[in-house]
Amino acid sequence: MSNSWENMVLVGKVSRSHGNKGQVIVNPETDFPERRFGVGQTMFVNRDDAVKPLTVTSVRFQRGRPILGLMGMTTMSDAEALAGFELRIPVEFLETLPQGMFYRHDLIGCAVWTVEGTDVGTVADVEGSLEGGRLVVRNEVEEGGRDVLIPLVEAICVQID
């Protein structure tokens, strides 16, 4: 298992504390929030340049966001200290996806070409949800090139390799 922060995958960001018992509200960055944030799941946080594990002890969802209880976090102060931090997991923790589906981190850095062979740029980010995602493509070909937003739909992204 790789515990290097740079080699881990973002699964959520702590939004803020919730209540007075050390719970946090998370903005999920995963297509599988019910499984990823289940009781017993372990995620990692980078605090003070040290990667530390956080194990989920309780979870409930409110408006699509998980409210997590985390092992060792028992006070509002504990939870407030996590606000703004990223939650990541090692790549080995990821599930195998069905044919034709991709993790966001697998798309970042990919070259984008038109079907005619024109270089559009490189995927810098993937925004949105599974139902309404789009590629943010950095156009480095043209001088003063701008980012290009491309809907991540089969009719437009006809081949992903």
Side-chain angles (χ1 to χ4, degrees):
M1 178 173 68
S2 173
N3 281 347
S4 168
W5 187 249
E6 293 75 29
N7 294 327
M8 290 188 178
V9 179
L10 177 69
V11 293
K13 293 180 185 174
V14 177
S15 172
R16 62 180 176 85
S17 65
H18 180 79
N20 60 1
K21 296 183 179 169
Q23 295 179 322
V24 296
I25 297 175
V26 174
N27 293 326
E29 295 284 339
T30 176
D31 293 332
F32 310 105
E34 290 80 15
R35 290 183 287 207
R36 182 64 55 220
F37 300 108
V39 172
Q41 295 293 326
T42 300
M43 292 159 283
F44 295 82
V45 65
N46 189 356
R47 295 177 75 179
D48 304 320
D49 292 323
V51 178
K52 299 178 182 184
L54 296 172
T55 302
V56 178
T57 58
S58 67
V59 63
R60 72 179 194 280
F61 284 82
Q62 184 175 357
R63 295 186 186 126
R65 297 192 306 174
I67 300 173
L68 304 179
L70 300 166
M71 190 175 295
M73 309 280 297
T74 58
T75 68
M76 185 185 301
S77 294
D78 291 339
E80 286 173 345
L82 280 182
F85 279 88
E86 291 184 350
L87 300 173
R88 295 187 183 188
I89 61 168
V91 173
E92 300 87 48
F93 284 22
L94 294 175
E95 299 178 26
T96 302
L97 294 176
Q99 179 79 19
M101 293 192 73
F102 303 90
Y103 283 108
R104 293 171 187 245
H105 69 274
D106 288 333
L107 297 174
I108 294 174
C110 288
V112 178
W113 301 81
T114 65
V115 291
E116 293 83 20
T118 304
D119 185 358
V120 177
T122 303
V123 177
D125 197 5
V126 181
E127 297 179 339
S129 65
L130 183 62
E131 297 81 26
R134 63 182 174 218
L135 302 174
V136 178
V137 179
R138 186 111 329 116
N139 182 338
E140 299 164 350
V141 178
E142 299 173 19
E143 188 172 322
R146 298 184 179 151
D147 288 350
V148 178
L149 302 178
I150 300 174
L152 189 52
V153 294
E154 198 171 333
I156 295 171
C157 298
V158 294
Q159 180 182 359
I160 298 176
D161 182 5

